[in-house]
Amino acid sequence: MDASPAGRALQEEAEPHPDGKLTRERMLACALEIVDRDGVEKLSMRALARALGRDPMSLYRHADNKAALLDGIAETVLAQLTVDPSDPDWVAQLRAVAHRFRHLALTHPRVVPLLVTRPLATPLALRPRGTLRPLEDILALLTRAGFTGADALHIYRALFGFL
């Protein structure tokens, strides 16, 4: 057991679900804590299981492999990136998205490499829904503002390339 304050906090955060079941959300929250504290390279199924007080095999009910776990972490963080596709002021929405993304990057600096590399490593059709939501919402925002689909995609890529 890790006796450091961060280790104790992580262990407290990783307490099992009241009915004894390990949930995907609990597992991803603990994985995010490990990445925030130690970096992606220190995350393993074994380390996560140890932090959760579980057998490593129990994690595979919620993530098929480490790649799926990393996708889940990216999905968890990107869930905090909200976009209002119905806002008529698309410039203000993109500005707000940039500020929110910056806040996420400052809050989870060790997760940023995942946000940049996971989409490239996972084919579009296999990405978790949560990782596609910001893309879909921004494309909807821009097409409602009158941009063609191709132009909206170019704007999205330019924005996130810059971010």
Side-chain angles (χ1 to χ4, degrees):
M1 260 319 133
D2 185 350
S4 71
R8 283 193 305 274
L10 181 60
Q11 189 62 35
E12 289 168 12
E13 176 63 26
E15 288 301 315
H17 191 272
D19 65 5
K21 292 182 181 176
L22 175 64
T23 64
R24 181 177 189 268
E25 293 76 21
R26 176 65 111 203
M27 182 184 75
L28 292 176
C30 186
L32 178 58
E33 289 278 338
I34 291 170
V35 171
D36 280 343
R37 186 187 66 225
D38 302 326
V40 174
E41 61 282 348
K42 296 290 185 179
L43 178 65
S44 67
M45 296 302 254
R46 191 173 306 277
L48 179 57
R50 191 171 36 253
L52 288 165
R54 299 292 179 148
D55 181 271
M57 294 309 292
S58 68
L59 303 182
Y60 291 97
R61 288 186 204 121
H62 304 287
D64 291 340
N65 51 40
K66 186 175 177 183
L69 182 63
L70 296 175
D71 284 341
I73 294 169
E75 184 178 14
T76 299
V77 172
L78 287 173
Q80 301 170 45
L81 189 61
T82 58
V83 181
D84 180 1
S86 64
D87 188 344
D89 190 352
W90 63 272
V91 173
Q93 269 302 304
L94 293 185
R95 187 176 294 118
V97 166
H99 286 286
R100 288 184 200 113
F101 192 86
R102 180 178 185 273
H103 176 75
L104 288 176
L106 292 172
T107 304
H108 303 288
R110 292 180 170 175
V111 175
V112 171
L114 283 180
L115 301 180
V116 174
T117 61
R118 290 311 301 164
L120 299 175
T122 307
L124 188 63
L126 298 178
R127 292 182 197 167
R129 168 81 174 99
T131 62
L132 296 174
R133 190 190 39 74
L135 166 64
E136 292 171 344
D137 289 347
I138 289 173
L139 293 178
L141 173 75
L142 294 171
T143 54
R144 280 193 180 106
F147 292 96
T148 66
D151 287 343
L153 186 56
H154 288 303
I155 293 168
Y156 171 85
R157 287 179 176 160
L159 174 67
F160 277 88
F162 175 73
L163 292 176

